Amino acid sequence: LEKAGGVVAELHARLAQAKTDLEGGACDDGSGEAPKGWEATDELRGKLRELFDKMDLNQDGAVDAEERAAASGLLNELHMEYGVRADVVLKGALTYSAFEALHVREWEVARKEQA
């Protein structure tokens, strides 16, 4: 549970930084608004849910290190398809909401870096 708390804390820090960037006018058009192209698609969220359900072998609602290791190939495919860094840190048991939030955030960062 402590490890999950660390992931959540890191996620909050990244979100705060993104908000600061946006408020500072870090967008190309100077509006301070995130371009709509940076919002995670329903397709991405659907694939994340599908992958999570495949990884959650014991169906306990959380994916632990052993389950992730067994599905490492699937995770790598997802990361390559959506341009998410391969070194996304996944530690401890993650619920779906934490898993999705981490991947969506990394996807948004990757999209912004490509812009």
Side-chain angles (χ1 to χ4, degrees):
L1 195 54
E2 283 182 29
K3 290 180 182 178
V7 170
V8 171
E10 181 181 344
L11 181 59
H12 282 288
R14 289 182 181 197
L15 289 172
Q17 181 60 51
K19 182 178 179 184
T20 300
D21 290 346
L22 288 174
E23 289 172 349
C27 297
D28 289 342
D29 65 3
S31 70
E33 302 263 335
K36 296 299 180 198
W38 289 351
E39 294 177 6
T41 63
D42 290 339
E43 176 186 358
L44 172 59
R45 291 179 190 277
K47 287 199 177 206
L48 287 172
R49 181 80 234 187
E50 182 181 332
L51 176 60
F52 183 88
D53 289 344
K54 285 180 183 177
M55 290 172 45
D56 188 12
L57 300 174
N58 62 7
Q59 301 298 305
D60 66 351
V63 174
D64 61 27
E66 288 179 17
E67 290 170 318
R68 282 193 307 276
S72 64
L74 293 173
L75 272 170
N76 288 338
E77 287 176 26
L78 179 87
H79 292 167
M80 289 187 325
E81 181 177 352
Y82 286 96
V84 176
R85 296 181 331 197
D87 64 343
V88 169
V89 178
L90 299 173
K91 294 183 180 178
L94 294 176
T95 63
Y96 175 72
S97 60
F99 177 80
E100 180 188 80
L102 180 62
H103 279 85
V104 165
R105 175 70 190 127
E106 289 299 326
W107 178 83
E108 290 173 349
V109 168
R111 295 280 300 204
K112 290 174 184 177
E113 288 174 349
Q114 293 170 5

